[in-house]
């Protein structure tokens, strides 16, 4: 008989916790044994949505871990606290999945890797767009040589802002005071569009580039008056084979899951024999080839288990499946973090910098 995996969700700083708990709730071999946050009000939506009994709701993470003894813990803290919470939870000998970004710095990411390696437990970093059918299809086409060798990856990522939606993409309208109070807008907690979104382009871009690293990085950002952090950044990565770009934007005209803004949120990948474009939530890609330089559309692949969502995937890994060298793997995600760190350094010093190592 298949094992039922015990899963706990700790720290509700990021609204994606609700989306991830829904995946746990719906998985036939997963049991949501506990949730924990220091602020009970932040857990109430999940308690109601998943009918979580009071004895499984905690405000002390130690009590949560000791009483529920989970196999896997989902962490959704503020970006600058990923290392802190990973090290805290690692002491309890559990597998850990951290919601994006990897960390607020490369040093912090390395501490997270070391903490889990010491316990011989899995560490995964979830990037929600990794499960999008369009990007799964894009990766397949790249691996099959549809555009030859990849030369350039261009990503535009963002939305109206992190406070315009809650779990399950429930729309809301933040006040100026809420914006000022949110960790997303606090520099010392890892706020800003660069840290929030550049990791998507850097990490999935590294996946598309089969793990190749840039030589140097140049970044500029815009921080509106009155804010501690940026809401718009543009990064250029120079590789031995060419240039790639990453653009992050809080303040798009519309949210891409409702109406794609302009520029569209997504990826354009250029190779020696063609190009592929794919945009968030799209049901098709566009491909150019030597035979059809005018371009044509391809439907996205049907996504099948275990690649439908991160919980399904990680449980398959824990059951003996391959932990692929993809965006969730620390090896690829660390390269993404190198790029983000380099971009942040470049923006601060207003110069091109070598890739941070």
């Amino acid at each position: 008989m298949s094992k039922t995996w015990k899963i706990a969700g700790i720290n509700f700083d990021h609204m994606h916790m609700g989306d991830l708990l829904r995946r746990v709730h719906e998985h036939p071999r997963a049991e949501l044994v506990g949730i924990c946050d220091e602020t009970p009000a932040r857990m109430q939506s999940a308690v109601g949505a998943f009918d979580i009994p009071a004895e499984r709701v905690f405000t002390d993470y130690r009590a949560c871990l000791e009483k529920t003894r989970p196999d896997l813990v989902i962490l959704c803290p503020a970006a600058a606290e990923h290392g802190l919470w990973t090290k805290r939870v690692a002491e309890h000998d559990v597998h850990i999945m951290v919601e994006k970004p990897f960390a607020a710095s490369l040093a912090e990411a390395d501490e997270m890797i070391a903490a889990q390696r010491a316990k011989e437990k899995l560490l995964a970093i979830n990037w929600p767009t990794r499960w999008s059918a369009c990007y799964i299809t894009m990766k397949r086409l790249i691996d099959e040589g549809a555009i030859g060798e990849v030369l350039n990856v261009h990503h535009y990522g963002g939305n109206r802002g992190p406070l315009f939606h809650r779990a399950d993409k429930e729309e809301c309208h933040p006040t100026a005071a809420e914006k000022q109070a949110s960790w997303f807008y606090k520099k010392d907690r890892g706020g800003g569009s660069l840290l929030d979104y550049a990791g998507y382009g850097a990490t999935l871009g590294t996946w598309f580039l089969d793990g190749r690293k840039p030589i140097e990085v140049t970044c500029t950002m815009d921080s509106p008056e009155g804010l501690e952090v940026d809401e718009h950044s543009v990064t250029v990565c120079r590789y031995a084979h060419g240039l790639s770009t990453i653009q992050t934007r809080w303040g798009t005209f519309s949210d891409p899951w409702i109406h794609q803004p302009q520029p569209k949120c997504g990826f354009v990948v250029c190779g020696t024999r063609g190009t592929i474009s794919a945009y968030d939530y799209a049901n098709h890609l566009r491909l150019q080839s030597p035979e059809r330089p005018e371009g044509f559309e391809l439907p996205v692949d049907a996504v099948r288990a275990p690649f439908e969502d991160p919980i399904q995937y990680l449980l398959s890994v824990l059951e003996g499946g391959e932990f692929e060298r993809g965006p969730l793997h620390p090896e690829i995600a660390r390269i993404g973090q190198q790029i983000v760190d380099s971009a942040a350094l470049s923006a601060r010093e207003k110069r091109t910098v070598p890739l941070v190592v």
Side-chain angles (χ1 to χ4, degrees), residues 267-289:
F267 285 89
V268 177
V269 180
C270 305
T272 55
R273 287 183 50 81
T275 71
I276 309 173
S277 63
Y279 299 101
D280 294 357
Y281 308 98
N283 58 14
H284 65 274
L285 299 82
R286 187 164 183 82
L287 178 67
Q288 286 180 296
S289 68

PDB file of all heavy atoms in Angstrom, residues 267-289:
ATOM      1  N   PHE A 267       8.461  34.193 -21.795  1.00  0.00           N
ATOM      2  CA  PHE A 267       9.813  33.962 -22.299  1.00  0.00           C
ATOM      3  C   PHE A 267       9.855  33.981 -23.819  1.00  0.00           C
ATOM      4  O   PHE A 267       8.934  33.489 -24.483  1.00  0.00           O
ATOM      5  CB  PHE A 267      10.325  32.584 -21.858  1.00  0.00           C
ATOM      6  CG  PHE A 267      10.740  32.487 -20.422  1.00  0.00           C
ATOM      7  CD1 PHE A 267       9.814  32.152 -19.437  1.00  0.00           C
ATOM      8  CD2 PHE A 267      12.061  32.707 -20.053  1.00  0.00           C
ATOM      9  CE1 PHE A 267      10.199  32.042 -18.118  1.00  0.00           C
ATOM     10  CE2 PHE A 267      12.459  32.596 -18.732  1.00  0.00           C
ATOM     11  CZ  PHE A 267      11.527  32.260 -17.757  1.00  0.00           C
ATOM     12  N   VAL A 268      10.943  34.509 -24.349  1.00  0.00           N
ATOM     13  CA  VAL A 268      11.309  34.336 -25.749  1.00  0.00           C
ATOM     14  C   VAL A 268      12.710  33.737 -25.743  1.00  0.00           C
ATOM     15  O   VAL A 268      13.629  34.298 -25.129  1.00  0.00           O
ATOM     16  CB  VAL A 268      11.301  35.667 -26.523  1.00  0.00           C
ATOM     17  CG1 VAL A 268      11.775  35.442 -27.962  1.00  0.00           C
ATOM     18  CG2 VAL A 268       9.907  36.294 -26.512  1.00  0.00           C
ATOM     19  N   VAL A 269      12.862  32.586 -26.389  1.00  0.00           N
ATOM     20  CA  VAL A 269      14.147  31.888 -26.426  1.00  0.00           C
ATOM     21  C   VAL A 269      14.609  31.811 -27.879  1.00  0.00           C
ATOM     22  O   VAL A 269      13.860  31.349 -28.754  1.00  0.00           O
ATOM     23  CB  VAL A 269      14.040  30.478 -25.819  1.00  0.00           C
ATOM     24  CG1 VAL A 269      15.393  29.771 -25.869  1.00  0.00           C
ATOM     25  CG2 VAL A 269      13.537  30.556 -24.375  1.00  0.00           C
ATOM     26  N   CYS A 270      15.832  32.267 -28.130  1.00  0.00           N
ATOM     27  CA  CYS A 270      16.388  32.297 -29.484  1.00  0.00           C
ATOM     28  C   CYS A 270      17.550  31.314 -29.589  1.00  0.00           C
ATOM     29  O   CYS A 270      18.403  31.250 -28.695  1.00  0.00           O
ATOM     30  CB  CYS A 270      16.889  33.699 -29.821  1.00  0.00           C
ATOM     31  SG  CYS A 270      15.654  35.002 -29.612  1.00  0.00           S
ATOM     32  N   GLY A 271      17.572  30.565 -30.683  1.00  0.00           N
ATOM     33  CA  GLY A 271      18.629  29.589 -30.898  1.00  0.00           C
ATOM     34  C   GLY A 271      19.281  29.739 -32.250  1.00  0.00           C
ATOM     35  O   GLY A 271      18.950  30.647 -33.026  1.00  0.00           O
ATOM     36  N   THR A 272      20.185  28.837 -32.549  1.00  0.00           N
ATOM     37  CA  THR A 272      20.907  28.897 -33.819  1.00  0.00           C
ATOM     38  C   THR A 272      20.040  28.521 -35.006  1.00  0.00           C
ATOM     39  O   THR A 272      20.386  28.830 -36.155  1.00  0.00           O
ATOM     40  CB  THR A 272      22.120  27.950 -33.768  1.00  0.00           C
ATOM     41  OG1 THR A 272      21.673  26.622 -33.423  1.00  0.00           O
ATOM     42  CG2 THR A 272      23.144  28.420 -32.743  1.00  0.00           C
ATOM     43  N   ARG A 273      18.896  27.854 -34.757  1.00  0.00           N
ATOM     44  CA  ARG A 273      18.040  27.418 -35.860  1.00  0.00           C
ATOM     45  C   ARG A 273      16.575  27.825 -35.673  1.00  0.00           C
ATOM     46  O   ARG A 273      15.699  27.250 -36.315  1.00  0.00           O
ATOM     47  CB  ARG A 273      18.120  25.891 -36.009  1.00  0.00           C
ATOM     48  CG  ARG A 273      19.443  25.404 -36.599  1.00  0.00           C
ATOM     49  CD  ARG A 273      19.434  23.899 -36.791  1.00  0.00           C
ATOM     50  NE  ARG A 273      18.238  23.416 -37.499  1.00  0.00           N
ATOM     51  CZ  ARG A 273      18.084  23.458 -38.822  1.00  0.00           C
ATOM     52  NH1 ARG A 273      19.036  23.984 -39.587  1.00  0.00           N
ATOM     53  NH2 ARG A 273      16.985  22.989 -39.380  1.00  0.00           N
ATOM     54  N   GLY A 274      16.317  28.791 -34.821  1.00  0.00           N
ATOM     55  CA  GLY A 274      14.933  29.209 -34.673  1.00  0.00           C
ATOM     56  C   GLY A 274      14.673  29.919 -33.366  1.00  0.00           C
ATOM     57  O   GLY A 274      15.606  30.196 -32.586  1.00  0.00           O
ATOM     58  N   THR A 275      13.415  30.235 -33.104  1.00  0.00           N
ATOM     59  CA  THR A 275      13.006  30.908 -31.875  1.00  0.00           C
ATOM     60  C   THR A 275      11.714  30.290 -31.363  1.00  0.00           C
ATOM     61  O   THR A 275      10.921  29.730 -32.132  1.00  0.00           O
ATOM     62  CB  THR A 275      12.774  32.413 -32.095  1.00  0.00           C
ATOM     63  OG1 THR A 275      11.571  32.598 -32.866  1.00  0.00           O
ATOM     64  CG2 THR A 275      13.946  33.064 -32.811  1.00  0.00           C
ATOM     65  N   ILE A 276      11.505  30.408 -30.044  1.00  0.00           N
ATOM     66  CA  ILE A 276      10.247  29.998 -29.412  1.00  0.00           C
ATOM     67  C   ILE A 276       9.805  31.108 -28.480  1.00  0.00           C
ATOM     68  O   ILE A 276      10.619  31.647 -27.722  1.00  0.00           O
ATOM     69  CB  ILE A 276      10.383  28.716 -28.567  1.00  0.00           C
ATOM     70  CG1 ILE A 276      11.051  27.580 -29.332  1.00  0.00           C
ATOM     71  CG2 ILE A 276       9.011  28.257 -28.066  1.00  0.00           C
ATOM     72  CD1 ILE A 276      11.337  26.357 -28.458  1.00  0.00           C
ATOM     73  N   SER A 277       8.529  31.454 -28.522  1.00  0.00           N
ATOM     74  CA  SER A 277       7.958  32.357 -27.525  1.00  0.00           C
ATOM     75  C   SER A 277       6.836  31.633 -26.795  1.00  0.00           C
ATOM     76  O   SER A 277       6.085  30.860 -27.399  1.00  0.00           O
ATOM     77  CB  SER A 277       7.437  33.642 -28.171  1.00  0.00           C
ATOM     78  OG  SER A 277       6.378  33.368 -29.069  1.00  0.00           O
ATOM     79  N   ALA A 278       6.756  31.862 -25.503  1.00  0.00           N
ATOM     80  CA  ALA A 278       5.683  31.298 -24.678  1.00  0.00           C
ATOM     81  C   ALA A 278       5.364  32.307 -23.585  1.00  0.00           C
ATOM     82  O   ALA A 278       6.276  32.913 -23.008  1.00  0.00           O
ATOM     83  CB  ALA A 278       6.103  29.963 -24.064  1.00  0.00           C
ATOM     84  N   TYR A 279       4.089  32.479 -23.323  1.00  0.00           N
ATOM     85  CA  TYR A 279       3.665  33.488 -22.361  1.00  0.00           C
ATOM     86  C   TYR A 279       2.805  32.862 -21.269  1.00  0.00           C
ATOM     87  O   TYR A 279       2.118  31.860 -21.497  1.00  0.00           O
ATOM     88  CB  TYR A 279       2.920  34.614 -23.083  1.00  0.00           C
ATOM     89  CG  TYR A 279       3.811  35.293 -24.092  1.00  0.00           C
ATOM     90  CD1 TYR A 279       3.717  34.992 -25.455  1.00  0.00           C
ATOM     91  CD2 TYR A 279       4.794  36.191 -23.683  1.00  0.00           C
ATOM     92  CE1 TYR A 279       4.570  35.595 -26.377  1.00  0.00           C
ATOM     93  CE2 TYR A 279       5.645  36.790 -24.599  1.00  0.00           C
ATOM     94  CZ  TYR A 279       5.533  36.487 -25.945  1.00  0.00           C
ATOM     95  OH  TYR A 279       6.383  37.066 -26.846  1.00  0.00           O
ATOM     96  N   ASP A 280       2.886  33.451 -20.081  1.00  0.00           N
ATOM     97  CA  ASP A 280       2.200  32.894 -18.913  1.00  0.00           C
ATOM     98  C   ASP A 280       0.739  32.567 -19.224  1.00  0.00           C
ATOM     99  O   ASP A 280       0.021  33.393 -19.808  1.00  0.00           O
ATOM    100  CB  ASP A 280       2.237  33.894 -17.755  1.00  0.00           C
ATOM    101  CG  ASP A 280       3.646  34.145 -17.235  1.00  0.00           C
ATOM    102  OD1 ASP A 280       4.592  33.505 -17.727  1.00  0.00           O
ATOM    103  OD2 ASP A 280       3.781  34.989 -16.332  1.00  0.00           O
ATOM    104  N   TYR A 281       0.331  31.363 -18.826  1.00  0.00           N
ATOM    105  CA  TYR A 281      -1.054  30.892 -18.927  1.00  0.00           C
ATOM    106  C   TYR A 281      -1.536  30.674 -20.365  1.00  0.00           C
ATOM    107  O   TYR A 281      -2.726  30.460 -20.598  1.00  0.00           O
ATOM    108  CB  TYR A 281      -2.016  31.853 -18.199  1.00  0.00           C
ATOM    109  CG  TYR A 281      -1.589  32.139 -16.782  1.00  0.00           C
ATOM    110  CD1 TYR A 281      -0.877  33.294 -16.461  1.00  0.00           C
ATOM    111  CD2 TYR A 281      -1.852  31.227 -15.758  1.00  0.00           C
ATOM    112  CE1 TYR A 281      -0.445  33.540 -15.172  1.00  0.00           C
ATOM    113  CE2 TYR A 281      -1.422  31.468 -14.460  1.00  0.00           C
ATOM    114  CZ  TYR A 281      -0.730  32.624 -14.173  1.00  0.00           C
ATOM    115  OH  TYR A 281      -0.297  32.861 -12.896  1.00  0.00           O
ATOM    116  N   ALA A 282      -0.627  30.693 -21.334  1.00  0.00           N
ATOM    117  CA  ALA A 282      -1.036  30.513 -22.728  1.00  0.00           C
ATOM    118  C   ALA A 282      -1.303  29.038 -23.026  1.00  0.00           C
ATOM    119  O   ALA A 282      -0.732  28.143 -22.399  1.00  0.00           O
ATOM    120  CB  ALA A 282       0.044  31.039 -23.657  1.00  0.00           C
ATOM    121  N   ASN A 283      -2.165  28.790 -24.011  1.00  0.00           N
ATOM    122  CA  ASN A 283      -2.452  27.415 -24.425  1.00  0.00           C
ATOM    123  C   ASN A 283      -1.731  27.043 -25.713  1.00  0.00           C
ATOM    124  O   ASN A 283      -1.994  26.012 -26.307  1.00  0.00           O
ATOM    125  CB  ASN A 283      -3.957  27.189 -24.572  1.00  0.00           C
ATOM    126  CG  ASN A 283      -4.602  28.131 -25.579  1.00  0.00           C
ATOM    127  OD1 ASN A 283      -3.915  28.795 -26.365  1.00  0.00           O
ATOM    128  ND2 ASN A 283      -5.922  28.203 -25.551  1.00  0.00           N
ATOM    129  N   HIS A 284      -0.798  27.927 -26.139  1.00  0.00           N
ATOM    130  CA  HIS A 284      -0.006  27.642 -27.327  1.00  0.00           C
ATOM    131  C   HIS A 284       1.331  28.368 -27.242  1.00  0.00           C
ATOM    132  O   HIS A 284       1.507  29.296 -26.433  1.00  0.00           O
ATOM    133  CB  HIS A 284      -0.744  28.084 -28.593  1.00  0.00           C
ATOM    134  CG  HIS A 284      -0.937  29.566 -28.678  1.00  0.00           C
ATOM    135  ND1 HIS A 284      -2.030  30.199 -28.091  1.00  0.00           N
ATOM    136  CD2 HIS A 284      -0.178  30.541 -29.248  1.00  0.00           C
ATOM    137  CE1 HIS A 284      -1.920  31.497 -28.297  1.00  0.00           C
ATOM    138  NE2 HIS A 284      -0.825  31.740 -28.994  1.00  0.00           N
ATOM    139  N   LEU A 285       2.288  27.929 -28.051  1.00  0.00           N
ATOM    140  CA  LEU A 285       3.575  28.592 -28.212  1.00  0.00           C
ATOM    141  C   LEU A 285       3.699  29.038 -29.657  1.00  0.00           C
ATOM    142  O   LEU A 285       2.945  28.589 -30.519  1.00  0.00           O
ATOM    143  CB  LEU A 285       4.741  27.640 -27.889  1.00  0.00           C
ATOM    144  CG  LEU A 285       4.862  27.049 -26.488  1.00  0.00           C
ATOM    145  CD1 LEU A 285       3.973  25.843 -26.332  1.00  0.00           C
ATOM    146  CD2 LEU A 285       6.310  26.672 -26.202  1.00  0.00           C
ATOM    147  N   ARG A 286       4.669  29.885 -29.920  1.00  0.00           N
ATOM    148  CA  ARG A 286       4.954  30.274 -31.303  1.00  0.00           C
ATOM    149  C   ARG A 286       6.399  29.909 -31.614  1.00  0.00           C
ATOM    150  O   ARG A 286       7.321  30.223 -30.850  1.00  0.00           O
ATOM    151  CB  ARG A 286       4.710  31.766 -31.516  1.00  0.00           C
ATOM    152  CG  ARG A 286       4.826  32.169 -32.993  1.00  0.00           C
ATOM    153  CD  ARG A 286       4.223  33.529 -33.261  1.00  0.00           C
ATOM    154  NE  ARG A 286       4.282  33.835 -34.689  1.00  0.00           N
ATOM    155  CZ  ARG A 286       3.407  33.398 -35.594  1.00  0.00           C
ATOM    156  NH1 ARG A 286       2.403  32.628 -35.212  1.00  0.00           N
ATOM    157  NH2 ARG A 286       3.532  33.717 -36.866  1.00  0.00           N
ATOM    158  N   LEU A 287       6.591  29.230 -32.725  1.00  0.00           N
ATOM    159  CA  LEU A 287       7.892  28.712 -33.124  1.00  0.00           C
ATOM    160  C   LEU A 287       8.264  29.238 -34.504  1.00  0.00           C
ATOM    161  O   LEU A 287       7.430  29.268 -35.416  1.00  0.00           O
ATOM    162  CB  LEU A 287       7.852  27.180 -33.146  1.00  0.00           C
ATOM    163  CG  LEU A 287       9.099  26.421 -33.592  1.00  0.00           C
ATOM    164  CD1 LEU A 287      10.228  26.601 -32.599  1.00  0.00           C
ATOM    165  CD2 LEU A 287       8.763  24.935 -33.751  1.00  0.00           C
ATOM    166  N   GLN A 288       9.513  29.679 -34.671  1.00  0.00           N
ATOM    167  CA  GLN A 288      10.085  29.992 -35.985  1.00  0.00           C
ATOM    168  C   GLN A 288      11.153  28.949 -36.287  1.00  0.00           C
ATOM    169  O   GLN A 288      11.926  28.568 -35.404  1.00  0.00           O
ATOM    170  CB  GLN A 288      10.746  31.370 -35.994  1.00  0.00           C
ATOM    171  CG  GLN A 288       9.795  32.546 -35.993  1.00  0.00           C
ATOM    172  CD  GLN A 288      10.576  33.845 -35.991  1.00  0.00           C
ATOM    173  OE1 GLN A 288      11.297  34.142 -35.041  1.00  0.00           O
ATOM    174  NE2 GLN A 288      10.454  34.625 -37.077  1.00  0.00           N
ATOM    175  N   SER A 289      11.193  28.491 -37.516  1.00  0.00           N
ATOM    176  CA  SER A 289      12.184  27.495 -37.925  1.00  0.00           C
ATOM    177  C   SER A 289      12.693  27.847 -39.317  1.00  0.00           C
ATOM    178  O   SER A 289      12.077  28.658 -40.024  1.00  0.00           O
ATOM    179  CB  SER A 289      11.549  26.100 -37.944  1.00  0.00           C
ATOM    180  OG  SER A 289      10.578  26.014 -38.981  1.00  0.00           O
TER     181      SER A 289
END
